[in-house]
Amino acid sequence: MPIDAAKAMAADPRTAEIGWDHKDIQLYHLGLGAGIPATDPDELRYTLESRLHVLPSFATVAGAGMGVVGGLSSPGIDVDLAAVLHGGQTVRVHRPIPVKGRAVQTSKVAAVYDKGKAAVLVLRTEAADDDGPLWTNDARIFVRGEGGFGGERGPSERLALPDRAPDRVVERTIRKDQALLYRLSGDWNPLHADPEFAELAGFDRPILHGLCTYGMTLKAVADTLLDGDVARIGAYSTRFAGVVFPGETLRIRMWAGASRVQVAVTAAERDDAPVLADTLVEHF
Ligand SMILES: CCCCCCC[C@@H](O)CC(=O)SCCNC(=O)CCNC(=O)[C@H](O)C(C)(C)COP(=O)(O)OP(=O)(O)OC[C@H]1O[C@@H](n2cnc3c(N)ncnc32)[C@H](O)[C@@H]1OP(=O)(O)O
């Protein structure tokens, strides 16, 4: 059986020592389209080592040695990569991520849900260094065709959008080669680069990494509503509601609250087809 929920959740957590420095941060930020225009002081905080600040979503790729896709290989889980889509992501940072660091990262399957036509795996990753906890991540992985094993259906809440016009709307163009750059931060899934694999997965061309859209959107929120002060971000959660193709434009709508920003992202050229839903940035 490809998914054995009890075995997956009973498995010992996987632990790895991870490390990163300014080059990993810069590469990650460039993969999100940072640095345009290259000399803009507001962009230099993402690109220049002497001024570097770390977007909290870096927590999703830190220690890429563990492999984002490798996170799927756990006892009780044997799924076809072509059936896998990233369903949702939450990152909670317990303090700002340092530009250079070492940490112990622990990952486990926290839940397995049976959605009938699909299974949803929740992979939880926690990282800590000598000063204590750094971040807690939940990746929700949607595995098409793997439901029906008799498990719990799990949550299905949706976050309704505020009943008013957004406070800010910005657009971000995705470079045609953006997935090729983004994957160098550690998610080597061929779905984002190899046309033949993309076709096998049911798409007529490679799609963008969900976590690339996720990081681009967080950067847009930080730059638009938080004065670019990424240290003010405490948590960030989304559901990947629809695919995005490199070369498209993200339309990012933001509703500001006292300590949170609600966000909705659509693909501008495809009649605002939903891309990110149930999206919340919690901040100080
Ligand atoms: C360690 C980290 C490992 C990371 C591994 C990932 C590797 C990456 O390289 C892979 C990627 O980046 S893939 C790119 C990003 N993801 C996407 O583009 C997916 C976009 N979303 C879709 O296509 C559909 O929403 C789709 C297909 C997801 C769902 O659409 P439908 O089939 O129409 O579903 P629907 O009928 O609306 O709902 C059925 C039940 O499933 C639940 N559900 C829906 N969308 C979900 C989602 N995104 N995440 C989790 N659960 C979801 C629904 O709630 C419903 O269940 P219930 O009836 O109980 O409410």
Side-chain angles (χ1 to χ4, degrees):
M1 188 165 100
I3 294 181
D4 180 334
K7 191 171 174 185
M9 286 191 288
D12 287 337
R14 296 189 320 141
T15 296
E17 280 194 29
I18 61 168
W20 63 93
D21 67 14
H22 66 90
K23 290 192 295 300
D24 303 297
I25 310 289
Q26 287 160 308
L27 182 63
Y28 173 68
H29 288 160
L30 290 171
L32 304 181
I36 300 173
T39 54
D40 182 337
D42 290 340
E43 291 299 315
L44 290 175
R45 78 178 76 221
Y46 296 107
T47 56
L48 186 65
E49 50 279 15
S50 56
R51 302 191 197 174
L52 215 48
H53 292 68
V54 185
L55 260 182
S57 50
F58 175 74
T60 59
V61 299
M66 269 179 101
V68 177
V69 173
L72 287 169
S73 52
S74 172
I77 294 180
D78 176 17
V79 295
D80 178 3
L81 187 58
V84 165
L85 289 172
H86 205 154
Q89 182 72 39
T90 302
V91 168
R92 184 169 294 279
V93 282
H94 305 294
R95 58 194 148 94
I97 300 175
V99 170
K100 182 178 169 67
R102 296 202 69 76
V104 173
Q105 185 156 270
T106 307
S107 306
K108 64 174 183 175
V109 178
V112 181
Y113 298 123
D114 183 348
K115 296 294 185 185
K117 62 182 174 183
V120 173
L121 313 175
V122 182
L123 307 181
R124 179 156 305 155
T125 303
E126 292 173 303
D129 65 11
D130 292 344
D131 296 325
L134 269 167
W135 62 74
T136 303
N137 295 345
D138 274 353
R140 292 174 288 281
I141 310 299
F142 194 92
V143 192
R144 295 171 289 175
E146 291 293 352
F149 54 85
E152 274 181 49
R153 194 155 181 106
S156 64
E157 310 98 52
R158 293 285 186 260
L159 188 61
L161 290 177
D163 190 16
R164 61 183 167 93
D167 298 302
R168 301 295 291 271
V169 183
V170 301
E171 292 190 351
R172 293 290 182 268
T173 305
I174 303 162
R175 292 163 54 118
K176 285 193 173 142
D177 60 356
Q178 195 147 339
L180 302 181
L181 185 55
Y182 179 82
R183 67 201 298 268
L184 303 182
S185 283
D187 184 345
W188 299 96
N189 189 344
L191 176 61
H192 311 296
D194 180 347
E196 284 171 20
F197 187 89
E199 198 181 336
L200 201 67
F203 301 103
D204 57 11
R205 58 200 153 113
I207 64 172
L208 188 66
H209 302 75
L211 288 178
C212 183
T213 309
Y214 180 79
M216 286 181 76
T217 299
L218 185 62
K219 179 177 182 298
V221 170
D223 293 344
T224 307
L225 288 172
L226 302 177
D227 301 317
D229 185 356
V230 297
R232 289 177 61 195
I233 299 164
Y236 175 36
S237 187
T238 200
R239 174 169 59 88
F240 297 109
V243 299
V244 186
F245 297 96
E248 291 189 323
T249 307
L250 299 176
R251 183 168 289 138
I252 303 170
R253 294 182 287 156
M254 306 175 199
W255 289 262
S259 60
R260 55 184 238 171
V261 179
Q262 197 170 339
V263 189
V265 181
T266 55
E269 292 87 354
R270 276 186 289 121
D271 294 329
D272 280 315
V275 171
L276 297 188
D278 309 339
T279 305
L280 210 52
V281 177
E282 294 171 52
H283 64 83
F284 312 110

